[in-house]
Amino acid sequence: EGRIDIGDDGVLLEMDSYFDEVWKFKSAAYNLPVMIQFPKEKDMTEDMLNIIQTDFEQFENLIHDESFPNNNYLDYFDDRAFVDYMLVYTLTLNTEFNHPKSTYINKLKNGKYRMGIIWDFDWGYGYIYGTHFDISSANSPTLYDDEDPNPGTLFFSRLMEDPAILSLFKERWQWFRANGFEQVKDNVRWWSERISQAVPYDHAIWGSRGSSENSEADLQRVLNWLDARANYMDAYVSDF
């Protein structure tokens, strides 16, 4: 309550390659490692697991089917929630969903599947390429381009093949670029000021971990990276 709107009868699923929860299944079409986060472990039964798995795989099969995207998959999937989710992950270069790891999808009873909650950004902002906020990573794609792709890459790449999804992604990015991006940067500046006095104490315990000893320099590196990433996204959506 107050954290995610799935009601008492909804579901919260986590796709994670660690596959280490009690109630879980591997999906049929994409071999996604799906774990049940809600209902809670103590409330789950085998019958409930079967119902959840069957429902998820019916939705997944529509995405995998050769008729995609010209079928009714959007009767089961919230395109706006997906696009906004992908905007967050693309802007932050959070590549977790490729594995997938820490990738959540939720559903109200009798509702559509919605991506979220957003979670786990430690491998975002270019860290997959060596360090956070290295400007050289700002032009990197969020979806991997592997010869032997992971289940998450296959699943999310498939969704991004739908021209209607791409059109909505472009529309939502251009709106956010004009109306929200500078606000994000202001928020980063605000938090940088708030934590500046704590930085030396943090470094004394944990080490600098790629940052400098200068909060202003680190802040500027973050802002420069975000600007470069936004420019990348401008070019990215121009091809849609």
Side-chain angles (χ1 to χ4, degrees):
E1 183 179 354
R3 299 180 69 189
I4 184 169
D5 176 23
I6 55 174
D8 296 329
D9 301 316
V11 295
L12 176 63
L13 309 177
E14 179 185 9
M15 294 184 275
D16 196 300
S17 57
Y18 287 122
F19 204 52
D20 54 1
E21 298 289 349
V22 174
W23 298 99
K24 58 192 176 182
F25 62 90
K26 292 286 185 74
S27 69
Y30 287 99
N31 199 35
L32 293 165
V34 181
M35 302 185 294
I36 317 302
Q37 295 292 353
F38 188 87
K40 296 180 179 178
E41 179 183 329
K42 64 181 178 64
D43 298 322
M44 281 292 296
T45 65
E46 287 291 342
D47 285 343
M48 292 171 66
L49 178 64
N50 290 334
I51 290 171
I52 291 171
Q53 180 174 356
T54 298
D55 187 77
F56 182 85
E57 289 181 342
Q58 287 176 343
F59 151 66
E60 180 193 46
N61 285 338
L62 289 170
I63 296 170
H64 188 265
D65 193 83
E66 63 181 14
S67 64
F68 175 88
N70 301 312
N71 56 29
N72 63 329
Y73 89 98
L74 289 177
D75 291 344
Y76 302 89
F77 189 58
D78 188 322
D79 55 347
R80 171 70 175 267
F82 172 69
V83 163
D84 286 353
Y85 179 92
M86 290 297 291
L87 283 172
V88 171
Y89 279 60
T90 306
L91 178 60
T92 60
L93 189 52
N94 187 352
T95 60
E96 294 275 357
F97 56 62
N98 285 279
H99 301 278
K101 292 180 179 176
S102 301
T103 301
Y104 290 87
I105 186 169
N106 71 85
K107 184 177 183 288
L108 286 162
K109 185 178 182 180
N110 300 321
K112 295 184 179 184
Y113 284 99
R114 306 174 297 187
M115 293 306 304
I117 51 177
I118 61 169
W119 189 252
D120 198 356
F121 287 78
D122 54 330
W123 282 83
Y125 306 101
Y127 189 68
I128 190 69
Y129 299 99
T131 186
H132 295 109
F133 303 111
D134 186 324
I135 201 71
S136 66
S137 69
N139 290 325
S140 302
T142 310
L143 283 160
Y144 295 162
D145 184 18
D146 296 336
E147 292 184 5
D148 185 20
N150 292 321
T153 304
L154 289 170
F155 181 74
F156 289 102
S157 294
R158 178 70 160 172
L159 285 165
M160 292 296 287
E161 292 175 6
D162 183 353
I165 291 291
L166 296 181
S167 177
L168 183 57
F169 187 103
K170 182 176 185 176
E171 175 189 328
R172 292 291 290 156
W173 167 249
Q174 291 178 338
W175 176 89
F176 180 77
R177 185 71 152 110
N179 298 283
F181 180 66
E182 292 301 322
Q183 184 178 344
V184 166
K185 290 168 63 181
D186 287 342
N187 197 39
V188 170
R189 293 184 184 97
W190 187 87
W191 276 107
S192 178
E193 174 63 26
R194 293 279 290 179
I195 68 171
S196 60
Q197 294 184 39
V199 169
Y201 300 99
D202 182 86
H203 288 182
I205 295 173
W206 302 108
S208 63
R209 293 163 298 165
S211 67
S212 71
E213 301 302 323
N214 185 313
S215 293
E216 283 297 321
D218 284 345
L219 169 62
Q220 194 57 52
R221 186 172 68 168
V222 172
L223 296 175
N224 290 344
W225 191 92
L226 287 171
D227 281 336
R229 189 64 180 168
N231 290 337
Y232 162 81
M233 290 187 66
D234 290 339
Y236 177 58
V237 302
S238 69
D239 293 331
F240 291 173

